[in-house]
């Protein structure tokens, strides 16, 4: 696909570049040479448009990003989880026990720096409670996190 | 639709429409208008020129005029070309304490108030939209972000740039920072040729936008699998305040977007110039602004003292997979197809830490593939099964990634070369110039291995009999030699076009050619063997018709080490017009410094059975 597009661009032929194909939003020369129409967040929009599964785990979501600007700059835990791809990052970090996505979640939930390592540990231990099935969505995961925190002496102050 | 979405994604998501009425402002002015000489002096200051985006001579088009292509940005009718008139109109509009223009132009206000000694107490208190936005744009640190090339796409080697605004000098989570982008707003309705044309001549407007950095990481690092380099900038709070105020002034404002010079990288540099107009960020003439030049400009200006490497998902996977034994790697591969194996002795008999690593690699491989496709039930089921195995089998944290050489440490863009050689008993000297950028044998530091892109490659030869000949004028030559591994099976490819001398009968002739095709490659230690199927169109032929169409294959190998880079290639083309070409070449490249290298090359070329050997030694200098 990519080389066909490159060839088409070089030969000056008119090819209709697929908006779904990842790639090409470089700037300057790279963009010119690579692919037809990719100078704007085609991919983000494409993935938003193509998402079929709501904000499920292990799937593209059609959550708060893309055309919805209400949560575009600041996130609470739930809106962060609802972002494209965040749920799977958080799931992986919880399974491992730490990671940048899990830290982003605890920061956005207002968990104080001194409690974040403890939050990571508790979430790691209760992974099966937070992700009981592959079909949980961001809202359910947030509810599960909340009930796990409620049962923890140090974390219950952060539960909603 | 796409445009509307983009607009909504746009700068603030606040659709405040501000009416500027400058006619009555002077009458109600609480401030006196300075004299013409003062206005002329202030209008010439670098800061005011930067706030209006006047071209100081950095690019060819419209020197001394504003880059902004949007009448709404200016208060004076000739504001785009007359900085003094725009300043006078601005002073007039900003003078009144509750002026709506103060809310539209907080950076201009800061400039005027500072220069004219206005009382700034609560000067912008009535600007609720602006204040709300500033509350969501806490300023601690500015970071230049460079997403590098992605796999199997040499044209992305030029990279991309954006800015990141952190809430503090040591942010708690970069995921929650803001990303500042400048990009062209194409409508999506144009065909590729029109798109390229409009991009070149400035047919698309470009705009700044702000969104969340987590979207940037997701898109470039996770979906497109590009390494991301982050360069924190030494800018103090006051400089960042200028920048963020000005960013507000630019919401919804259109710039022309030109691919070569006035692109995202140039605009970001211009934005930083507003924060620090005293630095020579826009000094010198730019023919083409490449993202890596922007990084180098910032380094040279002393704004960069550190960098951070954020590996793509594929490189993270490779880092975890490399330490596994070959049997463990085979098991991970099987696990990605059947997670039922997690319950069998093949997995259970491993040590817990090994179980963790194997499951983690299998999970990451599954996600690299699954992340770009629509969700399906069995992949989701397998993903969760692997995560549970990771969680049940703890292991010590893996060592952090060892960053490769950062892109700004790579060789420069343009190349000149001087060579001496012999072909068929004749000696020659050769001068070469290459506009851009990298071939697969050039010094590898800062570039992806096996990827090459060359644009406008000129070679002129002077023979010992006094003849001067054009040896080659390459238009575009792209090569992507992407080895196939345990988890990914990319298709390599190449395309090459231009004018070149090739054997034809008993002589050599200059002709147009287009050559290219798909291929496969593998990795054996440091050596990367490859094969391509190839097709060639050319105008060189000694008999009618003069348009040759050939099919054939290339086979070769790269041996890329940090100190010397070797390349061997054999190619064969059979033409429908009844002749064939053979080419065999061996090259060695020896970098002697970042921008200087020696290259030796011997090549044998034949047309039917008649062949010539050509050997040369060249000195190559990048600048």
């Amino acid at each position: 696909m990519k080389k066909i597009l490159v060839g088409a661009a070089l030969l000056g032929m008119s090819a209709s570049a697929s908006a779904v194909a990842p790639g090409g939003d470089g700037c300057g020369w790279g963009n010119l040479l690579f692919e037809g129409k990719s100078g704007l967040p085609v991919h983000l929009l494409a993935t938003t448009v193509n998402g079929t599964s709501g904000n499920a785990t292990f799937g593209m979501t059609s959550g708060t990003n893309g055309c919805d600007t209400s949560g575009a700059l600041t996130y609470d835990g739930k809106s962060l989880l609802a972002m494209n791809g965040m749920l799977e990052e958080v799931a992986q970090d919880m399974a491992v026990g730490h990671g940048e996505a899990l830290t982003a979640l605890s920061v956005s939930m207002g968990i104080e720096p001194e409690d974040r390592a403890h939050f990571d540990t508790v979430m790691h231990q209760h992974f099966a409670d937070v992700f009981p099935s592959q079909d949980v969505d961001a809202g359910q995961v947030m509810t599960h996190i909340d009930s796990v925190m409620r049962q923890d002496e140090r974390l219950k102050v952060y539960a909603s | 639709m796409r445009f509307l979405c983009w607009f909504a994604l746009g700068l603030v998501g606040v659709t405040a429409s501000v009416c500027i009425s400058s006619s009555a402002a002077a009458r109600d002015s609480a401030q006196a208008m300075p004299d013409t000489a003062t206005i002329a002096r202030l209008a010439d200051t670098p800061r005011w020129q930067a706030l209006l985006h006047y071209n100081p001579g950095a690019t060819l088009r419209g020197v001394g005029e504003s880059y902004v292509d949007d009448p709404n940005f200016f208060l004076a009718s000739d504001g785009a070309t007359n900085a003094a008139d725009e300043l006078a109109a601005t002073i007039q509009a900003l003078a009144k304490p509750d002026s709506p223009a103060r809310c539209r132009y907080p950076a201009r206000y800061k400039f005027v108030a500072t220069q004219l000694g206005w009382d700034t107490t609560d000067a912008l208190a009535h600007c609720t939209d602006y204040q709300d936005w500033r509350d969501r744009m806490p300023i601690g640190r500015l970071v230049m972000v460079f997403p590098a090339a992605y796999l199997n796409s040499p044209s992305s080697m030029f990279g991309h740039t954006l800015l990141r605004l952190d809430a503090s000098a040591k942010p708690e989570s970069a995921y929650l920072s803001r990303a500042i982008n400048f990009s062209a707003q194409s409508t999506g309705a144009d065909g590729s040729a029109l798109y390229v044309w409009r991009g070149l001549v400035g047919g698309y407007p470009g705009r700044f936008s702000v969104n969340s950095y987590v979207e940037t990481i997701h898109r470039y690092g996770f979906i497109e699998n590009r390494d991301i380099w982050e360069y924190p900038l030494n800018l103090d709070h006051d400089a960042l305040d200028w920048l963020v105020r000005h960013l507000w002034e630019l919401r919804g404002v259109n710039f022309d977007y030109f691919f070569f010079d006035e692109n995202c990288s140039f605009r970001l540099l211009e934005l930083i110039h507003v924060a620090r107009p005293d630095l020579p960020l826009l000094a010198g003439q730019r023919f083409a602004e490449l993202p890596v030049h922007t990084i180098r400009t910032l380094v040279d200006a002393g704004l960069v003292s550190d960098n951070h490497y954020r590996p793509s998902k594929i490189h993270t996977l490779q880092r975890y997979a490399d330490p596994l034994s070959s049997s463990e790697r085979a098991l991970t591969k099987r696990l990605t197809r059947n997670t039922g194996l997690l319950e069998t002795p093949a997995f259970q008999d491993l040590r817990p830490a090994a179980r963790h690593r194997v499951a983690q690699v299998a999970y990451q491989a599954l996600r690299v593939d699954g992340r770009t496709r629509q969700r399906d039930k069995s992949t989701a089921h397998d993903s969760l099964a692997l995560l549970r195995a990771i969680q049940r089998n703890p292991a010590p944290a893996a060592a952090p990634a060892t960053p490769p050489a950062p892109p700004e440490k790579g060789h420069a863009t343009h190349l000149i070369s001087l060579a001496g050689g012999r072909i068929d008993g004749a000696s020659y000297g050769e001068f070469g110039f290459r506009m851009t950028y990298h071939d697969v044998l050039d010094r590898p530091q800062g570039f992806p291995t096996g990827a090459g892109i060359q644009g406008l490659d000129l070679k002129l030869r002077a023979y010992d009999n006094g003849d001067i000949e054009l040896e080659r004028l390459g238009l575009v030559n792209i090569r992507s030699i992407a080895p196939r591994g345990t988890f990914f099976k990319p298709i390599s490819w190449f395309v090459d076009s231009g004018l070149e001398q090739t054997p034809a009968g008993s002589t050599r002739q200059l002709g147009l050619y287009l050559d290219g095709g798909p291929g496969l490659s593998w990795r054996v230690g440091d050596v990367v063997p490859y094969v391509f199927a190839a097709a060639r169109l050319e105008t060189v032929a000694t008999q009618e018709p003069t348009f040759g169409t050939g099919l054939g294959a290339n086979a070769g190998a790269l041996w890329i080490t940090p100190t010397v880079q070797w390349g061997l290639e054999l190619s064969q083309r059979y033409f429908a017009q009844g002749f064939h070409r053979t080419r065999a070449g061996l090259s060695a490249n020896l970098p002697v410094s970042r921008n200087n290298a020696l290259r030796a090359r011997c090549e044998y070329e034949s047309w039917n059975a008649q062949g010539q050997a050509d050997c040369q030694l060249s000195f190559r200098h990048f600048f």
Side-chain angles (χ1 to χ4, degrees):
Chain A
M1 185 64 185
K2 286 173 186 168
K3 67 180 176 297
I4 294 166
L5 289 170
V6 170
L10 292 177
L11 297 172
M13 298 188 307
S14 176
S16 144
S18 164
V20 186
D25 180 43
C27 87
W29 295 30
N31 204 2
L32 169 64
L33 287 169
F34 179 64
E35 171 181 280
K37 298 168 284 281
S38 51
L40 70 168
V42 177
H43 315 303
L44 185 67
L45 295 174
T47 51
T48 305
V49 171
N50 290 337
T52 54
S53 52
N55 48 15
T57 326
F58 314 118
M60 291 297 182
T61 79
S62 52
T64 56
N65 57 357
C67 300
D68 178 2
T69 58
S70 58
L73 283 183
T74 40
Y75 295 98
D76 59 12
K78 189 174 170 185
S79 62
L80 186 70
L81 279 182
M83 283 199 57
N84 246 345
M86 267 308 278
L87 209 48
E88 82 169 72
E89 294 303 309
V90 167
Q92 181 181 199
D93 287 357
M94 279 191 188
V96 172
H98 55 86
E100 251 193 301
L102 192 55
T103 303
L105 178 65
S106 62
V107 172
S108 69
M109 287 169 64
I111 293 172
E112 295 296 330
E114 61 272 19
D115 290 330
R116 281 179 206 151
H118 181 65
F119 173 83
D120 288 0
T121 307
V122 171
M123 290 302 136
H124 177 63
Q125 285 162 353
H126 290 87
F127 178 78
D129 301 324
V130 178
F131 290 94
S133 90
Q134 67 263 28
D135 295 323
V136 287
D137 65 23
Q140 289 164 328
V141 167
M142 205 59 224
T143 309
H144 298 159
I145 290 173
D146 216 49
S147 46
V148 169
M149 289 199 304
R150 232 181 274 279
Q151 289 155 31
D152 185 272
E153 277 306 308
R154 261 171 88 181
L155 298 178
K156 67 182 176 192
V157 292
Y158 301 111
S160 58
Chain B
M1 179 59 188
R2 200 173 280 157
F3 182 82
L4 289 176
C5 286
W6 179 240
F7 183 76
L9 257 177
L11 201 70
V12 278
V14 176
T15 51
S17 78
V18 178
C19 303
I20 306 300
S21 157
S22 58
S23 56
R27 198 171 51 243
D28 303 331
S29 172
Q31 319 287 350
M33 179 63 88
D35 59 46
T36 318
T38 307
I39 286 185
R41 179 178 56 80
L42 293 179
D44 274 343
T45 58
R47 177 91 69 185
W48 183 249
Q49 298 270 324
L51 284 171
L52 298 186
H53 294 264
Y54 272 47
N55 177 359
T59 59
L60 284 172
R61 202 178 57 97
V63 175
E65 296 176 11
S66 177
Y67 286 120
V68 175
D69 182 34
D70 200 329
N72 293 328
F73 181 71
F74 300 101
L75 293 172
S77 56
D78 60 348
T81 53
N82 190 324
D85 284 1
E86 182 65 15
L87 178 58
T90 301
I91 292 170
Q92 199 170 52
L94 298 180
K96 214 172 138 193
D98 60 352
S99 150
R102 289 189 180 186
C103 307
R104 173 82 177 82
Y105 298 104
R108 290 194 195 185
Y109 178 79
K110 182 170 177 165
F111 175 81
V112 170
T114 310
Q115 295 293 338
L116 301 182
W118 290 0
D119 176 15
T120 55
T121 318
D122 292 333
L124 303 179
H126 61 296
C127 305
T128 50
D129 285 345
Y130 172 67
Q131 299 296 352
D132 285 351
W133 182 74
R134 283 304 296 261
D135 287 345
R136 295 194 291 158
M137 297 284 284
I139 49 178
R141 185 175 74 163
L142 193 70
V143 180
M144 180 58 90
V145 179
F146 180 95
Y150 50 104
L151 208 66
N152 214 6
S153 174
S155 46
S156 67
M157 280 165 73
F158 295 114
H160 178 57
T161 40
L162 58 133
L163 289 167
R164 187 181 90 200
L165 186 65
D166 292 337
S168 72
K170 282 196 161 54
E172 296 176 295
S173 169
Y175 275 46
L176 303 172
S177 295
R178 286 85 179 92
I180 301 168
N181 261 295
F182 180 82
S183 54
Q185 322 282 301
S186 76
T187 57
D190 299 336
S192 286
L194 186 57
Y195 172 81
V196 169
W197 173 246
R198 290 187 66 176
L200 281 171
V201 300
Y204 291 118
R207 275 192 198 167
F208 282 97
S209 65
V210 177
N211 61 354
S212 171
Y213 191 62
V214 66
E215 291 177 18
T216 302
I217 297 175
H218 182 254
R219 177 166 165 221
Y220 293 114
F222 299 173
I223 300 290
E224 296 186 354
N225 275 301
R226 304 166 77 157
D227 291 345
I228 299 174
W229 290 88
E230 299 164 342
Y231 303 86
L233 303 179
N234 305 323
L235 291 169
D236 62 19
H237 189 275
D238 183 58
L240 294 180
D241 180 59
W242 277 106
L243 187 143
V244 174
R245 282 172 182 252
H246 186 58
L247 199 56
W248 173 261
E249 297 179 345
L250 294 178
R251 73 197 194 286
V253 167
N254 288 327
F255 292 81
D256 284 341
Y257 191 101
F258 291 81
F259 278 108
F260 286 101
D261 50 4
E262 295 175 30
N263 53 32
C264 68
S265 256
F266 180 74
R267 285 286 163 253
L268 295 178
L269 210 49
E270 239 203 334
L271 189 63
I272 297 168
H273 187 58
V274 169
R276 287 292 303 274
D278 55 312
L279 295 175
L281 297 178
L282 300 177
Q285 172 81 53
R286 286 165 160 73
F287 171 69
E289 184 65 23
L290 298 183
V292 70
H293 290 174
T294 306
I295 305 294
R296 291 194 184 117
T297 302
L298 295 171
V299 170
D300 293 345
L303 288 177
V304 178
S305 52
D306 195 11
N307 68 48
H308 176 247
Y309 171 64
R310 188 181 286 280
S312 72
K313 286 285 183 186
I314 281 184
H315 284 150
T316 302
L317 168 62
Q318 280 166 352
R319 180 165 63 91
Y320 281 92
D322 284 347
L324 297 183
S325 70
S326 58
S327 65
E328 287 170 339
R329 210 169 300 149
L331 177 60
T332 61
K333 183 72 191 169
R334 277 155 54 213
L335 279 170
T336 59
R337 295 192 211 106
N338 175 18
T339 51
L341 291 172
L342 291 169
E343 308 306 326
T344 63
F347 181 77
Q348 291 294 336
D349 289 352
L350 297 170
R351 287 172 295 106
R355 290 199 289 260
H356 182 97
R357 300 268 180 255
V358 165
Q360 194 168 20
V361 169
Y363 174 79
Q364 289 172 347
L366 200 63
R367 294 318 308 159
V368 166
D369 200 31
R371 202 170 273 129
T372 54
R373 287 189 285 108
Q374 289 197 5
R375 183 182 197 269
D376 73 72
K377 267 203 132 34
S378 81
T379 308
H381 170 268
D382 290 342
S383 300
L384 186 62
L386 289 165
L387 283 185
R388 285 184 176 152
I390 294 168
Q391 189 257 347
R392 278 197 296 262
N393 297 286
T402 312
E408 78 278 10
K409 296 280 164 76
H411 63 71
T413 307
H414 314 302
L415 170 73
I416 50 167
S417 60
L418 289 172
R422 276 181 79 80
I423 178 167
D424 210 19
S427 299
Y428 64 83
E430 185 183 271
F431 167 79
F433 169 77
R434 188 176 75 197
M435 188 66 204
T436 190
Y437 185 44
H438 180 80
D439 72 37
V440 291
L441 297 182
D442 281 325
R443 184 179 176 270
Q445 285 83 356
F447 292 89
T449 305
I453 183 164
Q454 302 177 68
L456 208 63
D457 179 22
L458 171 77
K459 289 203 168 81
L460 287 172
R461 278 187 186 181
Y463 286 94
D464 53 5
N465 66 2
D467 288 353
I468 293 184
E469 286 182 0
L470 176 64
E471 170 66 17
R472 179 179 164 76
L473 180 60
L475 185 61
V476 176
N477 180 351
I478 303 175
R479 204 158 248 258
S480 179
I481 298 173
R484 297 162 76 82
T486 310
F487 302 105
F488 307 109
K489 312 284 182 198
I491 301 291
S492 300
W493 58 275
F494 80 102
V495 59
D496 186 7
S497 66
L499 268 171
E500 68 176 358
Q501 295 273 0
T502 47
S506 56
T507 62
R508 297 175 90 229
Q509 283 184 14
L510 191 66
L512 285 165
Y513 72 97
L514 173 64
D515 202 25
L520 302 175
S521 80
W522 300 267
R523 184 184 298 284
V524 186
D526 284 339
V527 180
V528 177
Y530 61 86
V531 289
F532 285 110
R536 182 179 169 102
L537 286 174
E538 61 169 48
T539 60
V540 180
T542 48
Q543 68 252 57
E544 294 298 325
T546 56
F547 195 62
T549 50
L551 288 175
N554 293 11
L558 300 176
W559 181 24
I560 308 295
T561 70
T563 47
V564 191
Q565 299 83 46
W566 296 86
L568 171 71
E569 184 166 272
L570 308 167
S571 79
Q572 185 80 23
R573 300 285 183 277
Y574 293 95
F575 288 80
Q577 291 70 29
F579 63 97
H580 64 269
R581 294 188 176 286
T582 305
R583 197 179 281 197
L586 177 66
S587 305
N589 190 68
L590 175 70
V592 293
S593 67
R594 183 163 84 90
N595 283 323
N596 295 298
L598 293 171
R599 185 175 291 192
R601 186 171 64 85
C602 271
E603 200 170 75
Y604 173 82
E605 266 189 299
S606 76
W607 188 89
N608 291 339
Q610 295 166 295
Q612 296 163 322
D614 180 355
C615 283
Q616 63 163 243
L617 179 67
S618 61
F619 173 71
R620 297 160 69 85
H621 173 69
F622 292 94
F623 64 104

